[in-house]
Amino acid sequence: MGKKRNDPGKVHGLIRIDKPSGPTSHTVMRQVQRGLSAGRSGHAGTLDPMATGLLVVLLGEGTKLSRWVMGCDKTYLARIALGAETDTLDAQGEVLSEVAVPSDALRPEVIQEALLGFLGEQEQLPPIYSAIKRDGRTLMDRARAGEVPEVSARQVRCDGLELLGVEGHELLVRVACGSGYYVRSFARDLAEALGCLGHLSGLRRERVGSWSLEDARTPDEVDIDQVVPIAECLPEMERVVLDAENVENVRHGRRVSLDLTTDEAMALDASGRAVAMLSKESEGVWRVERGFRPS
């Protein structure tokens, strides 16, 4: 007999994948799910088909961690080509305009000065070709259908920008940023700040939260031993071990009384297995945000 429709399977947690250039994040995610015979899967942050690097794939009950993992800070290695603007803001798009690259735009000291203006909290205009939804449809789908969707600026955060090199008309920049930051938009805006046009010609994600690319494997190399258990998936999250009575309470969605100093916590049972994600409702009172079904 096949799996029931809502059966999460027997593989739960996350696995770090080094996504190759070409396939979509969804395609890679499904390949990993099949390779590990997981009941269901998700991923914590899309990489465009052109992009490579760390794709965090969530498996089984681990898919319930999506909100928390997607909210993690990220680090990218970005290659920015000056001199041409594309409709998608990356190398896969159609060239819209081309200009000569001013010599000053390639001087490291000028680039360093420009980078300072992109640090901290700021408004950023997302690409038209993006997965942002409006009225149930993505901007990308609307653009591909010939529409000119209205794009609103969003508040984003950039924590670090490091110029690693200048190669011809390309800049190599390491970008440390918060969730929702578009490196494609940054490439466009940096080029503008340097007095020309530009687009993202290469992107590799190096880090998602505390997870780095160093321990990632290609989709063809996945093994069950590489799956991180749910209880270890959010290493920076507060953890609380519940007694047997509160484990039962949480399993049934009941509120529990706990003395914690944070606003969110992962609840474990006495054996160290994840039971639920909890949120503080009021002083000493915690509610279940997402419960994990025992395998």
Side-chain angles (χ1 to χ4, degrees):
M1 293 178 65
K3 290 187 180 74
K4 295 179 181 178
R5 184 172 182 180
N6 295 320
D7 184 358
K10 297 181 179 180
V11 182
H12 310 287
L14 69 75
I15 187 167
R16 290 153 286 181
I17 299 300
D18 187 352
K19 177 192 170 297
S21 180
T24 66
S25 294
H26 184 82
T27 298
V28 172
M29 176 193 77
R30 290 300 188 197
Q31 180 182 348
V32 172
Q33 178 183 347
R34 290 193 300 270
L36 295 174
S37 299
R40 55 174 177 249
S41 64
H43 60 74
T46 301
L47 281 173
D48 293 330
M50 178 190 78
T52 68
L54 184 59
L55 182 70
V56 176
V57 175
L58 304 172
L59 302 164
E61 290 288 275
T63 57
K64 296 177 179 179
L65 295 173
S66 177
R67 173 165 70 88
W68 289 274
V69 183
M70 286 190 71
C72 290
D73 295 344
K74 300 172 179 67
T75 302
Y76 298 90
L77 191 61
R79 189 173 290 274
I80 300 167
L82 301 180
E85 179 183 27
T86 70
D87 55 357
T88 60
L89 305 186
D90 64 18
Q92 293 190 311
E94 179 182 344
V95 175
L96 300 177
S97 301
E98 293 183 272
V99 296
V101 179
S103 58
D104 277 357
L106 301 173
R107 290 169 53 196
E109 62 272 23
V110 173
I111 300 168
Q112 295 278 17
E113 182 67 24
L115 290 176
L116 293 176
F118 292 93
L119 294 173
E121 298 273 353
Q122 58 191 267
E123 286 199 336
Q124 183 187 69
L125 193 67
I128 290 178
Y129 284 84
S130 67
I132 296 173
K133 284 191 175 182
R134 177 160 296 152
D135 298 328
R137 293 175 62 200
T138 66
L139 297 183
M140 183 184 304
D141 287 341
R142 291 180 179 277
R144 286 173 174 167
E147 300 179 31
V148 182
E150 181 181 345
V151 184
S152 301
R154 306 196 306 175
Q155 196 75 11
V156 296
R157 191 188 81 250
C158 184
D159 299 318
L161 293 167
E162 180 184 3
L163 178 64
L164 300 178
V166 180
E167 301 172 1
H169 287 176
E170 287 193 324
L171 316 180
L172 192 61
V173 181
R174 177 166 285 120
V175 182
C177 58
S179 179
Y181 192 90
Y182 276 94
V183 184
R184 282 183 288 151
S185 293
F186 163 69
R188 171 200 62 202
D189 298 341
L190 176 60
E192 182 179 347
L194 293 171
C196 60
L197 301 175
H199 64 271
L200 190 68
S201 54
L203 186 68
R204 185 161 177 78
R205 186 154 65 195
E206 298 179 318
R207 182 172 291 274
V208 175
S210 60
W211 304 112
S212 72
L213 185 58
E214 296 172 2
D215 299 318
R217 298 291 182 268
T218 68
D220 295 325
E221 296 173 333
V222 294
D223 186 88
I224 193 67
D225 293 337
Q226 297 155 1
V227 177
V228 179
I230 293 174
E232 301 173 20
C233 283
L234 298 171
E236 298 174 0
M237 176 72 68
E238 179 81 9
R239 280 159 173 70
V240 57
V241 178
L242 304 180
D243 58 27
E245 181 181 355
N246 274 333
V247 167
E248 281 304 304
N249 285 332
V250 166
R251 292 258 189 239
H252 290 87
R254 304 185 191 113
R255 287 165 175 76
V256 293
S257 297
L258 299 171
D259 184 17
L260 298 175
T261 58
T262 58
D263 293 327
E264 291 185 308
M266 179 183 287
L268 310 177
D269 64 16
S271 65
R273 291 175 300 186
V275 177
M277 297 298 298
L278 304 177
S279 291
K280 185 177 181 179
E281 185 171 274
S282 59
E283 195 60 39
V285 179
W286 291 71
R287 69 172 181 272
V288 176
E289 285 290 333
R290 298 304 301 267
F292 305 113
R293 288 197 292 172
S295 180

